[in-house]
Amino acid sequence: MALVSMRQVLDEAAKGGYGVGAFNVNNMEQIQAIMEAARETKSPVIIQASRGARSYAQDRYLVHLMQAAVELYPEIPVVMHLDHGNGVATCKSAVEQGFTSVMMDGSLMEDGKTPSSFEYNVKVTREVVEMAHANGVTVEGEIGTLGGIEDGHGAGVSGLAHLTDPDQAVEFVKLTGVDALAIAIGTSHGAYKFTSKPTGETLKMDRLIEIHKKLPGVHLVMHGSSSVPKDLQDVINQYGGKLRPTWGVPVEEIQLGIKNGVRKINVDTDNRLAITGAIRKVFAETPEKFDPRDYMKPAREAMKKVVALRMNQFGQAGHAGDYQPLTLEEVAKRYK
Ligand code: G3H
Ligand code: 13P
Ligand code: ZN
């Protein structure tokens, strides 16, 4: 199966009332972990690479690894998505490289830190939509900004500083024609999202529901959606790590989101935690080992477990074979 359009995967998810996890990758083992989890659970997948991932791995490695994935797992529809594109040129280069979906995050300026104006956001996003749709490629936009900056991306403030305004979201979708819309409801990237289990005061699910009511036909995206489970934190700390106590987004809140229009759920941190914990364990328990396979295998297995669990929890499990993927050429014609 070739790489597929994210729009088609999300349209199908909307029909079936489920969500699809979008998992970040930087290397072969992370792609393998996702594909194995997808096979086990029979799930369609969205695999995403950030600008940092593209510079770490190089596009050609990423593209060929993704092509290997679709060749080895022909029963799984796979979307290759650019996470947090910071400008038209970044999105254009991703389309040229073969990504089937891009995020134009115009909620921030090109530095990925400074909140932008509504007008700027509309302008750059609209430009990316025109370029991408002509190629059958999906576009995710963002309105409102996430909190946090620890991974180098974000406004560097509390997740509550720039929540999405529901009326602006309606206007933004109308003016840009995006396929999917990322919204800010109090989450942040990284491990340190909340200092205690989130409540309605810190995680604004009511805001999400309000946006969904105004935009019932739009695929909503939740960023910063790692749950930061305590058991994964504990493994890291047990084997010499130093994570401060922290809380993520509870899975039941994500499931509430899925009932209210959320179709794409971004998860990176949980997998980073699983990988780090597994590697620390090998290093601590068998310090004589130095073959990278001795720690990369358990790391890959630990990530696979997390991804398979999320695929079941988000509801995408069992849906890999529901539909015949369209070619990007067919999708491009439909956009016209
Ligand atoms: O946007 C956040 C993702 O976790 C990707 O992080 O930019 O460090 O690759 P990154
Ligand atoms: P987490 O840091 O919560 O995993 O969020 C990842 C993300 O939103 C990537 O765009
Ligand atoms: Zn994000």
Side-chain angles (χ1 to χ4, degrees):
M1 201 181 277
L3 292 169
V4 305
S5 144
M6 186 166 85
R7 178 60 192 256
Q8 189 187 11
V9 168
L10 299 186
D11 283 350
E12 292 291 336
K15 278 188 220 157
Y18 58 90
V20 183
F23 304 102
N24 289 75
V25 298
N26 301 272
N27 60 27
M28 179 183 75
E29 286 79 3
Q30 290 178 304
I31 295 174
Q32 290 173 327
I34 296 168
M35 294 312 298
E36 278 298 300
R39 174 162 282 168
E40 187 177 288
T41 61
K42 300 184 172 49
S43 297
V45 294
I46 301 170
I47 302 186
Q48 57 188 12
S50 66
R51 280 190 296 137
R54 289 176 71 186
S55 104
Y56 173 80
Q58 293 186 32
D59 282 344
R60 296 320 295 156
Y61 278 113
L62 285 175
V63 167
H64 284 283
L65 286 168
M66 297 293 298
Q67 280 165 358
V70 297
E71 191 182 315
L72 292 169
Y73 299 80
E75 78 280 20
I76 305 295
V78 182
V79 175
M80 182 172 182
H81 176 76
L82 167 68
D83 192 24
H84 293 286
N86 66 330
V88 178
T90 308
C91 294
K92 194 162 186 286
S93 70
V95 171
E96 285 164 358
Q97 289 290 329
F99 284 65
T100 58
S101 179
V102 294
M103 176 181 191
M104 175 61 239
D105 182 359
S107 72
L108 299 171
M109 298 302 288
E110 233 172 302
D111 64 5
K113 295 178 176 61
T114 314
S116 67
S117 68
F118 179 75
E119 292 70 27
Y120 168 87
N121 195 355
V122 168
K123 182 178 171 294
V124 289
T125 307
R126 178 73 226 162
E127 211 175 310
V128 170
V129 167
E130 278 164 19
M131 176 275 299
H133 283 186
N135 291 281
V137 169
T138 309
V139 181
E140 172 185 340
E142 175 163 333
I143 186 89
T145 59
L146 258 68
I149 201 164
E150 68 188 74
D151 58 6
H153 188 99
V157 288
S158 142
L160 299 172
H162 301 280
L163 294 177
T164 303
D165 176 278
D167 292 321
Q168 245 189 14
V170 173
E171 194 63 10
F172 183 76
V173 170
K174 199 169 81 191
L175 293 172
T176 59
V178 287
D179 301 283
L181 183 67
I183 56 170
I185 54 167
T187 68
S188 319
H189 289 126
Y192 299 103
K193 302 181 195 304
F194 304 107
T195 50
S196 57
K197 189 170 181 214
T199 63
E201 291 304 304
T202 48
L203 178 61
K204 300 286 190 184
M205 295 308 293
D206 51 349
R207 182 69 64 110
L208 183 148
I209 292 167
E210 203 185 330
I211 296 166
H212 175 57
K213 283 202 180 121
K214 288 185 185 249
L215 286 170
V218 171
H219 304 312
L220 300 180
V221 183
M222 275 176 75
H223 280 246
S225 290
S226 278
S227 302
V228 197
K230 182 153 182 329
D231 57 329
L232 295 182
Q233 298 178 44
D234 287 347
V235 177
I236 291 181
N237 287 337
Q238 184 187 344
Y239 294 105
K242 275 202 174 66
L243 293 176
R244 287 178 273 126
T246 179
W247 278 261
V249 181
V251 168
E252 59 274 18
E253 300 294 353
I254 297 172
Q255 290 167 333
L256 173 65
I258 292 168
K259 287 201 181 85
N260 288 280
V262 171
R263 298 292 158 233
K264 173 173 181 275
I265 304 107
N266 282 20
V267 174
D268 186 1
T269 297
D270 285 352
N271 292 323
R272 293 178 174 188
L273 294 172
I275 287 170
T276 301
I279 291 176
R280 279 193 172 279
K281 185 169 188 295
V282 174
F283 284 174
E285 288 180 345
T286 47
E288 71 282 7
K289 288 196 167 163
F290 59 89
D291 180 342
R293 290 170 297 191
D294 287 335
Y295 50 88
M296 291 310 293
K297 264 196 208 171
R300 185 172 61 188
E301 188 55 31
M303 173 164 165
K304 180 199 150 188
K305 260 174 77 180
V306 172
V307 172
L309 181 63
R310 295 288 177 267
M311 286 171 163
N312 279 309
Q313 290 165 329
F314 298 162
Q316 72 204 82
H319 290 288
D322 286 1
Y323 45 93
Q324 190 55 41
L326 299 165
T327 64
L328 290 192
E329 289 73 28
E330 286 168 316
V331 177
K333 273 192 208 137
R334 291 184 183 198
Y335 282 128
K336 274 189 194 152

